[in-house]
Amino acid sequence: MSDEDARQRINAEDARAALISDLATADATTFGGSWYDGATGTQHLQATTAEAADRYAGLAADKGIKTKVHQVEFTQRDLTADMNRLLAGTHPVLGNAARGHAGIDVQANRVVVQPTDADLAGLQGRRASIPDSIAVQPREKDLDVVADACPSRAHCDRPLRSGLEQWKGEQDNRTCSLGFTARDTVNPGRKYVITAGHCGGIGDTFGHYTHEFGKVEEHQNSGDVDALAIRISNPYWLNASFGWIYRPNGDGEPPFAVNARIDSESAMQAGQTVCLTARNSSAGNRCGVLDAVNSSHRGMARVSGLDACRGDSGGGWYRKSDDRRTAYGIHSDSSDGCHTADGVSYFSTLPAVRDALGKEVEIRIS
């Protein structure tokens, strides 16, 4: 796909996005998901009843959208609920077997789970009890990641990585840090950069090194949310993968993967060690101790033992366990100074950001 073709496709999304958003909200009891075929310019919609399928086709025709509607068994809402239980390890049949390894195959209208070989063998006696909405598959082999040049946080080729330095408006106006890459919760094909809300406003253009991302589409800086969402419209970044964290002193090495994200603040608790990847983490991604999930500072999460610096706003907070990294939040502010003793930092949790902006952080399923 050429850059111009990609830009035209992005610009033509608005009508389709509005239709899908309406269906997902107003017709949640019959809407089975959607996907777009760029080769034919066709918007595919799925409905669980014939009546709904006819209605969807009529709504699309009224908007001048080329559409094909398919009748399926399961709603997107029900599949999403199944996926969340599987990811959390709380599914009544599969339990922990698919924890962290589940996703929705929209066209197949199923939740796909990929247990380890050992867990897969253990499921043999429970196969008959697995709901039809869930498809169990062997886990895919990890693909080798070949990193482009990334000698510093101010100079990285694609893919985008949490903790990079950003610019606003012009390349020499360096401001704030990249939090995480994300997708729209209604239209997953739309990709975003999430950073701190106080770093810019609606319509501002952001970028990194010599390539812009796009413009700010969503913004909030009130209550426990200090975040904004920059729509990625530049094919340079779109034609790459998402869900990465900058690897300090790792030029030539692949970036760290974002293996998971918290979808509820109940997954957080005081005493956990969390780390910040941001502009001033030159010595490595510094870590502190989460001592309040909902602190008195705007209801944000509070971290003791780490005083972030000017320019770190918008950076990504994550928890490292073994060799896995779970995204927790977007950095807002900290004690006066930089890396001072007994300093504290504050961040907006990802569940709060998702609810405010309608964006969820991209993760790498591995």
Side-chain angles (χ1 to χ4, degrees):
M1 181 193 305
S2 70
D3 286 1
E4 182 58 30
D5 287 340
R7 291 185 190 278
Q8 289 179 1
R9 182 182 297 186
I10 292 166
N11 291 336
E13 278 187 353
D14 289 344
R16 299 195 305 272
L19 173 63
I20 294 166
S21 178
D22 289 345
L23 293 177
T25 303
D27 291 84
T29 58
T30 59
F31 182 62
S34 64
W35 75 93
Y36 179 68
D37 181 355
T40 63
T42 303
Q43 176 65 62
H44 292 261
L45 302 173
Q46 298 183 150
T48 56
T49 68
E51 183 277 330
D54 290 342
R55 185 158 45 82
Y56 291 5
L59 290 171
D62 290 344
K63 294 178 179 291
I65 301 171
K66 181 181 178 182
T67 306
K68 184 173 183 179
V69 185
H70 312 266
Q71 189 168 342
V72 295
E73 294 181 69
F74 306 106
T75 66
Q76 184 182 58
R77 182 175 65 182
D78 289 342
L79 292 177
T80 300
D82 269 346
M83 179 188 69
N84 289 336
R85 284 191 289 268
L86 290 161
L87 289 172
T90 59
H91 192 273
V93 178
L94 281 84
N96 273 321
R99 187 181 181 92
H101 295 277
I104 296 175
D105 184 334
V106 177
Q107 295 186 38
N109 194 230
R110 295 291 187 275
V111 179
V112 176
V113 298
Q114 296 183 338
T116 63
D117 291 343
D119 285 332
L120 192 61
L123 289 174
Q124 295 307 315
R126 289 178 277 166
R127 285 275 188 172
S129 301
I130 297 175
D132 290 341
S133 59
I134 297 174
V136 179
Q137 299 177 353
R139 185 167 299 184
E140 296 176 353
K141 301 296 183 183
D142 291 342
L143 299 176
D144 292 334
V145 177
V146 179
D148 288 330
C150 189
S152 74
R153 293 181 189 268
H155 174 185
C156 272
D157 293 332
R158 58 191 177 190
L160 288 170
R161 309 150 209 243
S162 177
L164 294 183
E165 183 179 80
Q166 303 174 135
W167 50 260
K168 181 176 72 173
E170 299 179 353
Q171 292 179 24
D172 59 356
N173 182 28
R174 297 178 178 179
T175 177
C176 295
S177 302
L178 192 156
F180 293 102
T181 53
R183 62 189 179 192
D184 190 84
T185 54
V186 176
N187 302 292
R190 289 188 169 196
K191 307 299 183 182
Y192 292 82
V193 165
I194 306 297
T195 188
H198 70 262
C199 294
I202 298 294
D204 285 342
T205 298
F206 280 78
H208 170 75
Y209 190 38
T210 59
H211 301 281
E212 71 174 52
F213 307 146
K215 297 183 182 297
V216 176
E217 283 194 351
E218 304 286 346
H219 173 274
Q220 181 169 322
N221 185 17
S222 62
D224 61 349
V225 176
D226 178 11
L228 59 79
I230 307 158
R231 173 81 176 278
I232 303 175
S233 58
N234 187 341
Y236 176 82
W237 300 116
L238 285 174
N239 293 330
S241 54
F242 299 93
W244 302 106
I245 295 173
Y246 177 80
R247 180 192 289 265
N249 307 313
D251 189 28
E253 297 292 327
F256 297 127
V258 180
N259 304 109
R261 63 176 177 266
I262 57 165
D263 291 319
S264 169
E265 289 182 353
S266 62
M268 305 167 61
Q269 61 179 337
Q272 291 178 331
T273 298
V274 289
C275 305
L276 174 64
T277 174
R279 179 176 170 182
N280 289 292
S281 303
S282 57
N285 294 336
R286 297 172 180 264
C287 304
V289 177
L290 183 66
D291 62 10
V293 176
N294 302 108
S295 75
S296 58
H297 181 75
R298 294 178 54 175
M300 292 183 176
R302 184 179 68 194
V303 180
S304 62
L306 195 161
D307 173 25
C309 304
R310 186 178 183 86
D312 288 347
S313 295
W317 284 92
Y318 65 93
R319 180 170 181 251
K320 184 176 181 295
S321 177
D322 295 325
D323 200 34
R324 291 176 57 81
R325 291 165 178 81
T326 300
Y328 266 46
I330 302 298
H331 182 67
S332 177
D333 56 5
S334 63
S335 306
D336 188 26
C338 179
H339 299 159
T340 59
D342 301 321
V344 296
S345 295
Y346 300 92
F347 67 86
S348 297
T349 68
L350 291 187
V353 172
R354 177 200 60 212
D355 293 346
L357 305 185
K359 309 294 180 283
E360 61 183 9
V361 165
E362 293 274 14
I363 61 174
R364 308 294 304 172
I365 301 296
S366 60

